[in-house]
Amino acid sequence: MPELEWNRVRWNDEHPWPESGDEWSAGWGGPRAQWYGAIFPRIARWLPARRVLEIAPGMGRWTQFLLRQSEELYGVDLNPKCIQRCVQRFSAYDHAHFIQNDGLSLAMIADDTIDFVFSFDSLVHAEMDVMTAYCEQLVRKLSAGGVAFLHHSNAANGVDAENPNAEGRAHSVSSQAVHAVIEKAGGRVLVQEEVNWGSTARTDCLTTFVRGQAYPHIGHTRIENNHFMLEMQIIKAYQSPYY
Ligand SMILES: C[S@@+](CC[C@H](N)C(=O)[O-])C[C@H]1O[C@@H](n2cnc3c(N)ncnc32)[C@H](O)[C@@H]1O
């Protein structure tokens, strides 16, 4: 199971980061195609946002796009190598701030200040202890109209013996468990989209949530998407040539 120590060793010491994370976008035809084809449509409603918090930016694969959509951006990552690379890569942006944390704490971020929280392709490796710590804090960090979008594991639902892609996914995490933690902390889930990743099993989940009182006119939507990999293929074939 990917504990914090696994995440430290894997991303700081073992992974060679040959293309600063862009290597993981090959299936979509590159990071731009993945951002504009797969990620941005799911968060466009909430951007641009004044203050953005990115959890686990790695070497900035999504940060480069979020920076253009924010007045202030905070990137918080467990690993010093990632923080150093982001500081160097985005040194021209005065509104970008990168902070190393212990993998659990968001104490460096003031309460009631964040208009958009984003994490993609990182928290799938975070077990329920980390998800609980982050979700509880995020409900407090969000501004009154703030929104959080987290990509996390659903392996507690989506794994089976024949799904080799379950490797690296946090097995203690399910869409329902994350939903329960958010609501217990005083938040409200607007959308949960379970998606398949690398196989047919829905090992992953995209959760959009707000503070309990925000957006009362928006109900809860649950999506069981078994075609995320098909969407990826379509983006690569028909959108990525434009980039
Ligand atoms: C697979 S990389 C993805 C990075 C980036 N999101 C991307 O898609 O290119 C995972 C990142 O998550 C970070 N990470 C893992 N667990 C974390 C935690 N509990 N808190 C903060 N960062 C974490 C790692 O240091 C690494 O930078």
Side-chain angles (χ1 to χ4, degrees):
M1 302 301 105
E3 308 290 346
L4 273 180
E5 189 52 28
W6 181 92
N7 276 288
R8 239 180 237 121
V9 173
R10 181 92 187 98
W11 310 119
N12 207 65
D13 306 334
E14 291 178 353
H15 185 69
W17 297 89
E19 298 172 55
S20 295
D22 290 1
E23 60 272 20
W24 297 308
S25 289
W28 285 262
R32 287 184 77 79
Q34 188 178 0
W35 173 262
Y36 287 111
I39 301 175
F40 189 65
R42 290 174 164 88
I43 58 176
R45 177 172 188 167
W46 314 112
L47 294 174
R50 203 154 71 89
R51 284 206 194 90
V52 170
L53 167 63
E54 183 179 8
I55 298 184
M59 296 201 171
R61 180 165 50 139
W62 313 124
T63 319
Q64 61 181 319
F65 304 111
L66 289 167
L67 275 169
R68 297 175 202 152
Q69 300 277 348
S70 58
E71 290 178 23
E72 214 72 50
L73 181 138
Y74 301 90
V76 176
D77 199 287
L78 171 66
N79 281 310
K81 192 189 264 186
C82 296
I83 293 297
Q84 283 155 18
R85 172 75 178 117
C86 281
V87 167
Q88 174 202 47
R89 177 174 178 178
F90 302 115
S91 59
Y93 295 84
D94 289 343
H95 69 293
H97 317 280
F98 298 98
I99 307 148
Q100 187 191 339
N101 79 342
D102 60 0
L104 290 167
S105 173
L106 298 173
M108 70 297 284
I109 306 291
D111 287 357
D112 303 312
T113 58
I114 302 297
D115 303 302
F116 188 64
V117 179
F118 175 90
S119 188
F120 197 88
D121 226 355
S122 287
L123 295 178
V124 288
H125 310 294
E127 296 288 355
M128 211 49 219
D129 56 340
V130 172
M131 289 306 300
T132 301
Y134 278 151
C135 289
E136 284 177 355
Q137 293 170 90
L138 287 175
V139 171
R140 297 199 308 270
K141 303 301 168 190
L142 286 172
S143 62
V147 178
F149 173 83
L150 302 184
H151 174 206
H152 58 84
S153 175
N154 184 42
N157 284 327
V159 175
D160 56 45
E162 296 183 2
N163 176 16
N165 187 55
E167 193 201 347
R169 263 43 189 169
H171 286 209
S172 61
V173 181
S174 66
S175 58
Q176 297 89 340
V178 171
H179 189 289
V181 160
I182 292 166
E183 304 241 328
K184 189 165 173 229
R188 194 166 67 83
V189 174
L190 299 186
V191 186
Q192 271 198 315
E193 180 182 5
E194 292 184 3
V195 299
N196 63 317
W197 192 285
S199 74
T200 53
R202 295 193 305 271
T203 54
D204 294 16
C205 183
L206 309 172
T207 295
T208 302
F209 65 97
V210 296
R211 277 162 49 161
Q213 309 77 4
Y215 306 101
H217 57 289
I218 302 180
H220 171 68
T221 303
R222 179 179 161 75
I223 304 166
E224 296 185 352
N225 182 353
N226 297 313
H227 302 294
F228 200 63
M229 293 295 95
L230 175 62
E231 181 189 273
M232 174 189 80
Q233 289 165 8
I234 291 169
I235 290 167
K236 181 169 187 177
Y238 303 112
Q239 293 188 17
S240 73
Y242 285 90
Y243 298 108

